[in-house]
Amino acid sequence: MERSITSGSGSISVRRATARDAKRLTRLVRGSRAYEGQYAAMVAGYRVGPDYIESHRVFVATDGGDGHVLGFYALVLAPPELDLMFVADQSQNRGVGRLLVAHMQTEARAAGLDRVRVVSHPPAEGFYRSVGAVRVGTASATPPAVAWDRPELEFLIPADGSGP
């Protein structure tokens, strides 16, 4: 399913990722300013491979004009989890994250899920809560890559499409 919005800076579309997107998605993850400093170890050497894209529901938000990748998410069905979600630094505060979350909820509903877990990057907790996720716990650190506890949140997915 493709979904799009129009913002002050143009249209944004969401489409299924393909193996050809792997390098661009990897660059987006590794280049994220949200993972500088103490969080850098988590994405150092991280790779979004073609095999990952083919085995999970990975969707990309693109600029409707030039097809430039603005962000992406990965929905894992079993167990239900929003495994990855990144918005390019220069695309933040344009509605891209909200569009990706709404798209994820639609995909989750279509797959018959009633909830989706998110283990959040600590600075992203406020965003997830602002789009309807509820904090349900804390995921403990798993050194050496993740040396800090992370908020665990959950999106409830109503069967009728109502809700945030």
Side-chain angles (χ1 to χ4, degrees):
M1 174 194 126
E2 186 164 310
R3 185 172 182 164
S4 63
I5 62 169
T6 302
S7 68
S9 51
S11 67
I12 300 169
S13 298
V14 179
R15 64 167 172 79
R16 187 80 185 245
T18 66
R20 291 182 8 202
D21 292 313
K23 287 182 182 178
R24 285 184 281 192
L25 302 186
T26 296
R27 278 194 303 273
L28 197 156
V29 169
R30 290 183 185 174
S32 174
R33 283 193 312 256
Y35 286 88
E36 292 178 339
Q38 69 175 334
Y39 300 117
M42 188 169 178
V43 296
Y46 195 89
R47 180 177 168 266
V48 180
D51 52 336
Y52 181 88
I53 291 171
E54 291 173 4
S55 61
H56 298 296
R57 294 182 184 211
V58 181
F59 291 87
V60 178
T62 61
D63 182 305
D66 63 10
H68 181 74
V69 172
L70 306 175
F72 76 100
Y73 77 88
L75 176 63
V76 175
L77 297 182
E81 183 171 2
L82 179 59
D83 187 40
L84 298 170
M85 184 168 153
F86 283 83
V87 174
D89 294 335
Q90 68 276 14
S91 299
Q92 295 192 8
N93 300 312
R94 290 181 48 197
V96 175
R98 289 183 182 281
L99 176 64
L100 288 172
V101 167
H103 190 278
M104 178 275 299
Q105 291 172 316
T106 300
E107 286 294 314
R109 185 175 304 104
L113 304 177
D114 65 353
R115 62 193 64 233
V116 175
R117 174 181 182 244
V118 181
V119 176
S120 177
H121 179 48
E125 179 181 7
F127 166 74
Y128 286 119
R129 291 173 68 132
S130 78
V131 292
V134 176
R135 181 137 185 194
V136 294
T138 301
S140 297
T142 55
V146 183
W148 56 91
D149 292 344
R150 292 160 293 154
E152 184 176 351
L153 302 108
E154 188 173 77
F155 285 100
L156 297 178
I157 310 295
D160 64 3
S162 65

